[in-house]
Amino acid sequence: MKPYMNRVAARLCRRGAFLGLVTCLGIQSARAEGFRNPPEGGASLGLVGGNIALNEDASAVSRNLANLVLLPGPQIEAGVSLIHSRVKFTSAASGQTDESKDPWKYLPYVFASMPLKTGQSALGLGVSVPFGQSMAWSREGQFRYTVPYFAGLRVININPEIAAKIGESVYLAAGVDVYTSDMDMRQYVPWALLVPTAPDGVSRLEGAGAGIGGNAALTWLIPHD
């Protein structure tokens, strides 16, 4: 019986390892949008992003672009999402306290739609900042030489769309996502550790990039009495 029990134990261990791996991968996937900015548009923000399936304004460009055909006429929606983000840190070793600066973030967005043929086809365009914010610390605080005193990442999405009615109650749409991004990090360098009389230097890292992707949507309205 002992060899049999060993085989059973080994099989259970393999299954446990597999389930553990799947669980870890699931957790990582759940965190993928941890830095995503709030939903675009006033209606979407008011519903905590709950209007993904049925948008009734130009913000359908960013959520369900097939609904653009359902809009009665041309629309444009523009605004700014305000975010207040602040971090406070107290060192357990020294008791020193630091607090991040510039807590207010301003994230603009513009959405527009134009029917080509009312109830049959429409065009849409969106410009938004789906990802990216910044963090700034005091230039004289305890983090002066250990972390960047400024770090910022910005991703802009330019999103043209086209939507059409393809059946009695079926609407199909497709679009292109053009992403541009830039990053800026600045940190003090203590040159005095090498040359005692040297002043502090500033290390700055900048980068920019672009990418392109696509998206599609389908809306099927089920008639009801």
Side-chain angles (χ1 to χ4, degrees), residues 178-193:
V178 180
Y179 291 100
T180 64
S181 64
D182 58 81
M183 179 188 67
D184 185 2
M185 297 178 65
R186 309 171 199 173
Q187 183 172 340
Y188 281 112
V189 179
W191 292 120
L193 295 178

Side-chain angles (χ1 to χ4, degrees), residues 43-60:
S44 181
L45 187 59
L47 294 172
V48 198
N51 65 335
I52 293 175
L54 183 60
N55 298 75
E56 298 179 334
D57 55 30
S59 68

Side-chain angles (χ1 to χ4, degrees), residues 5-82:
M5 295 301 295
N6 288 339
R7 288 197 299 271
V8 171
R11 192 176 298 117
L12 290 174
C13 287
R14 287 196 296 270
R15 290 180 180 177
F18 175 76
L19 291 174
L21 177 61
V22 171
T23 301
C24 290
L25 291 175
I27 292 173
Q28 291 176 358
S29 298
R31 293 176 179 173
E33 292 200 345
F35 292 99
R36 185 174 179 87
N37 289 322
E40 303 87 357
S44 181
L45 187 59
L47 294 172
V48 198
N51 65 335
I52 293 175
L54 183 60
N55 298 75
E56 298 179 334
D57 55 30
S59 68
V61 171
S62 69
R63 295 296 176 180
N64 188 349
L65 42 150
N67 290 347
L68 292 173
V69 183
L70 303 176
L71 303 182
Q75 291 189 14
I76 185 168
E77 179 180 352
V80 176
S81 295
L82 302 180

Side-chain angles (χ1 to χ4, degrees), residues 56-133:
E56 298 179 334
D57 55 30
S59 68
V61 171
S62 69
R63 295 296 176 180
N64 188 349
L65 42 150
N67 290 347
L68 292 173
V69 183
L70 303 176
L71 303 182
Q75 291 189 14
I76 185 168
E77 179 180 352
V80 176
S81 295
L82 302 180
I83 297 178
H84 186 275
S85 176
R86 176 176 290 166
V87 177
K88 189 174 183 179
F89 174 81
T90 300
S91 172
S94 65
Q96 288 182 295
T97 298
D98 268 315
E99 190 172 292
S100 60
K101 308 298 181 183
D102 304 324
W104 288 101
K105 320 297 179 185
Y106 308 94
L107 307 173
Y109 60 85
V110 178
F111 301 111
S113 65
M114 171 67 72
L116 296 176
K117 185 176 181 181
T118 303
Q120 297 296 320
S121 59
L123 295 176
L125 176 65
V127 180
S128 60
V129 187
F131 297 93
Q133 295 183 30

